Amino acid sequence: MKKRFVLSGYFGFKNFGDEAILSVLINKLQKDGHKITVISSDPKYTTEQYKYIRSIQTFKILDIIFAILKSDVLVSGGGSLLQDVTSIKSLIYYLTIIFIALILQKKVIIFAQGIGPINNKFGQILTKILLKHCTYVSVRDKKSFELLESWGIESDLLCDPIFSTVIPSTEKTNTVAVQLRNFNTMNRDFIDRLAQKTVQEFSEKKIEIFSFQDSIDYDICQEFQKAVNLLNPHIETKLYSNLSNEDIINKLSKAEFLIAMRFHAIIIGLLAECKILSINYDIKVEKISNEFNIPMLDLKKEFSTQFNELKKQIPQNKKEQLKKNSFNWTNFDLAINK
């Protein structure tokens, strides 16, 4: 039976990871013939990216209430929406959307989220109460699963939905893709050391630099490009910004090597059979690097053998491990149809 869905998440901000999750959701729901409305900070951008959907503005609450009223299911996710590290306001906003749907007696699906940390006691209580009334809850990491288990909330532990991304079949080019983002421990010394090592190891290759979210990534990417060009003006470099998700995936899939900070860039690199070197700025990057035996650079430590390990990688050897990360839609479908 075809249904109407409202999708709530960090959409419209042109962040590759969140937009890629949205793309996975939309492809799945449209394939099954459902109607979709997306709550987005930039409805015009969202409707341009995806055909045959509606989009409403993030803070137009009356429009959101009306859309949920006319829908059958609210999907909240993915990413890390239910946390107060970004701000308590962000947590309250996403909980409010869930509350509206529950009050209107709609099915609510929490989709492959990372839950927490939630430091505010009121935020914890509110999250716990609302999640207990949701139709189906799935999380993307063990820590979130254990937190919900301690709250008495049943959930499914799934891999990140980006693992279901379809990668175009293409030949590798003589390219090193570098994806960087700003972070509080990012510093000029690291940029200079990374540029120096990249020039030293890949002087015969083209360096393609990717800004996934320009408000956070672009300045750092530009600094890196300048550092590379100063060290060796003969190396061909290209800085990409404001690309669509499709363009990012198509370009990364052609790269022989990938040096990446963002978690979702690493997933795309794995699916595209790139030789990968991660930059460890977050526990989720450390976890996926350990899971797939990917060498890591530390923002604060000197480089040692990581570039040698990068070059020796055989991406095809990771295929069996990737099969274990196939996204399971079974209980999602059951929740919709029950």
Side-chain angles (χ1 to χ4, degrees):
M1 184 178 175
K2 310 310 177 190
K3 297 183 182 296
R4 294 183 180 272
F5 283 75
V6 173
L7 309 185
S8 168
Y10 190 71
F11 305 136
F13 292 93
K14 303 176 184 178
N15 176 302
F16 172 77
D18 293 284
E19 297 299 330
I21 289 170
L22 177 60
S23 178
V24 167
L25 261 173
I26 288 175
N27 288 340
K28 160 67 177 172
L29 295 174
Q30 287 186 334
K31 182 181 177 183
D32 295 341
H34 301 301
K35 300 293 184 182
I36 302 165
T37 298
V38 178
I39 302 172
S40 169
S41 70
D42 188 343
K44 184 173 182 292
Y45 168 79
T46 299
T47 52
E48 286 173 350
Q49 296 300 308
Y50 308 101
K51 294 179 180 177
Y52 313 119
I53 67 159
R54 284 187 66 236
S55 184
I56 51 179
Q57 218 283 330
T58 302
F59 295 110
K60 291 191 174 180
I61 296 299
L62 289 178
D63 288 351
I64 292 171
I65 292 172
F66 184 76
I68 294 174
L69 182 64
K70 295 291 184 182
S71 73
D72 301 295
V73 185
L74 171 76
V75 178
S76 176
S80 299
L81 305 181
L82 302 183
Q83 48 80 24
D84 61 6
V85 175
T86 304
S87 76
I88 186 65
K89 290 180 182 178
S90 173
L91 173 65
I92 296 300
Y93 170 80
Y94 290 114
L95 290 177
T96 299
I97 302 300
I98 293 169
F99 176 73
I100 290 168
L102 290 173
I103 286 293
L104 295 174
Q105 300 184 321
K106 305 301 179 180
K107 290 182 179 180
V108 177
I109 291 176
I110 306 300
F111 179 71
Q113 286 206 35
I115 311 294
I118 303 173
N119 299 307
N120 182 281
K121 292 296 181 185
F122 174 71
Q124 287 181 17
I125 294 167
L126 198 58
T127 304
K128 191 186 303 186
I129 290 170
L130 293 178
L131 291 191
K132 282 185 176 180
H133 289 87
C134 291
T135 308
Y136 172 61
V137 178
S138 61
V139 294
R140 69 180 185 183
D141 62 87
K142 192 175 180 182
K143 193 172 181 181
S144 298
F145 179 81
E146 290 171 347
L147 173 64
L148 294 188
E149 191 175 43
S150 72
W151 288 353
I153 298 170
E154 186 178 341
S155 66
D156 278 349
L157 175 57
L158 304 175
C159 68
D160 193 285
I162 305 305
F163 277 105
S164 64
T165 303
V166 177
I167 301 297
S169 178
T170 183
E171 289 187 10
K172 295 294 184 185
T173 57
N174 192 36
T175 303
V176 180
V178 180
Q179 181 278 309
L180 300 173
R181 58 156 292 163
N182 201 357
F183 195 68
N184 54 19
T185 52
M186 175 62 80
N187 56 76
R188 182 71 207 200
D189 175 63
F190 177 82
I191 292 293
D192 288 341
R193 286 187 290 120
L194 180 62
Q196 188 172 20
K197 195 67 176 174
T198 302
V199 167
Q200 179 183 328
E201 298 290 338
F202 300 114
S203 61
E204 301 302 317
K205 297 188 181 296
K206 181 180 179 181
I207 311 298
E208 294 188 339
I209 307 157
F210 291 82
S211 169
F212 275 16
Q213 187 178 11
D214 290 352
S215 60
I216 297 174
D217 300 0
Y218 187 80
D219 289 347
I220 291 296
C221 289
Q222 195 173 47
E223 280 188 39
F224 176 76
Q225 183 184 35
K226 287 177 181 177
V228 169
N229 290 338
L230 279 171
L231 288 165
N232 187 343
H234 301 293
I235 288 183
E236 184 182 356
T237 64
K238 176 73 175 179
L239 172 54
Y240 292 107
S241 66
N242 200 31
L243 292 178
S244 68
N245 278 17
E246 185 179 1
D247 284 339
I248 289 173
I249 292 167
N250 286 340
K251 291 183 183 303
L252 287 184
S253 66
K254 296 176 183 177
E256 181 183 359
F257 296 92
L258 170 65
I259 302 171
M261 282 185 76
R262 288 186 180 268
F263 177 74
H264 289 117
I266 295 168
I267 293 178
I268 296 301
L270 286 166
L271 295 172
E273 298 186 356
C274 301
K275 296 180 180 181
I276 307 170
L277 175 61
S278 69
I279 300 171
N280 185 13
Y281 81 100
D282 187 277
I283 187 65
K284 61 191 174 187
V285 172
E286 184 177 348
K287 284 179 179 177
I288 196 171
S289 299
N290 289 333
E291 182 182 356
F292 286 94
N293 197 27
I294 296 168
M296 288 182 286
L297 299 178
D298 192 293
L299 288 167
K300 295 181 178 179
K301 295 179 182 177
E302 294 296 321
F303 306 159
S304 54
T305 61
Q306 293 97 333
F307 275 81
N308 287 335
E309 293 170 32
L310 167 65
K311 289 184 172 182
K312 291 177 183 176
Q313 278 182 58
I314 304 173
Q316 291 77 11
N317 288 352
K318 304 182 193 300
K319 281 185 177 180
E320 287 303 312
Q321 186 64 29
L322 275 170
K323 286 179 184 177
K324 297 177 184 177
N325 286 275
S326 177
F327 193 80
N328 188 343
W329 293 97
T330 303
N331 288 335
F332 180 92
D333 289 334
L334 287 173
I336 290 169
N337 296 312
K338 74 177 183 181

